[in-house]
Amino acid sequence: MKGRAGGEREKTMRQLAFGNDELAGAEGFDRAEVIPLHEEAQEPRPARGVRRTGWLLVACGLALLPWLYVLATGLPATATAAHWPVAWVGLDTLEALGLIATGLLAARGDRRHALAAAATATLLVVDAWFDTTTAAPGGDFATAVAMALGAELPLAALCGRLALRALSRHA
C-alpha cells in the first residue's frame, strides 16, 4: 500500500514537473518552480539544551524515588501545620486564578489557554488529593469527597480536555 501511494505521488510529481516545463517555455514565464504536494512530516529534533534539560529532569525524578521511601517510613502519622489556613487559601487562590486565566484565554481563542488549563487541572487534582487525605473522619471526609467528585475532579477533567484538544489541534 505504501509503495503504491509513493508511486502515485511520483507520477503526480512527474506530471507537475512536465506541466511546469511547458509553462517555463511559454511567454511571461522565466522559471518554473515545482512545489511538492505532500511532504513527509518529520518531528524536528529538539535542541541540545532542551534534550539535556529533559534528561536532567528525568534524573531528578529518579533521584526522588528513594526519598519517597524515606518519607513513607519517617513521617509522623499526624502533624500540626503553623500556617494551615494560608496553605489552603493560597492553593484555592491559585485554582481560581487558573480557572479565570484559562477561561479568558480560551474565550479569546488564544492557544496559550492549553498551558493555563494544564496547570489548573494539576492544581485541582492536587487539591482533591490533599482535601481527601487530610480530612478528619466523618463529616469532614464526606465533604472533601463530595467536593472532589462534584467540583474539583470534573473541573480538572474539563481543563485537561481543553489542554489536550488544543495541543493535538496545533501539533
Side-chain angles (χ1 to χ4, degrees):
M1 190 104 170
K2 187 175 182 179
R4 181 177 171 206
E8 288 177 4
R9 188 174 338 148
E10 289 174 18
K11 180 179 174 185
T12 303
M13 294 306 295
R14 281 192 301 261
Q15 289 170 344
L16 285 174
F18 178 70
N20 282 335
D21 288 342
E22 289 175 349
L23 288 175
E27 280 186 42
F29 291 98
D30 295 334
R31 186 175 136 253
E33 179 180 351
V34 176
I35 301 172
L37 297 176
H38 182 293
E39 291 193 21
E40 296 296 322
Q42 294 181 8
E43 290 291 324
R45 186 171 177 170
R48 184 184 310 187
V50 173
R51 288 194 313 268
R52 285 183 180 170
T53 302
W55 286 115
L56 175 66
L57 293 174
V58 169
C60 290
L62 291 172
L64 279 175
L65 295 179
W67 178 243
L68 296 176
Y69 177 77
V70 171
L71 288 176
T73 58
L75 285 175
T78 60
T80 303
H83 302 288
W84 190 253
V86 174
W88 287 109
V89 169
L91 179 59
D92 286 351
T93 300
L94 290 173
E95 290 171 12
L97 291 174
L99 290 168
I100 292 167
T102 300
L104 289 174
L105 290 169
R108 289 180 29 206
D110 192 323
R111 291 181 1 183
R112 293 174 293 181
H113 78 273
L115 300 172
T120 303
T122 303
L123 287 169
L124 288 162
V125 169
V126 167
D127 191 11
W129 174 262
F130 282 109
D131 279 344
T132 56
T133 58
T134 61
D140 286 346
F141 182 73
T143 301
V145 169
M147 287 295 295
L149 295 177
E152 294 157 347
L153 295 177
L155 283 171
L158 176 64
C159 287
R161 183 172 178 243
L162 272 175
L164 290 174
R165 283 183 66 200
L167 292 174
S168 66
R169 188 177 317 134
H170 298 290

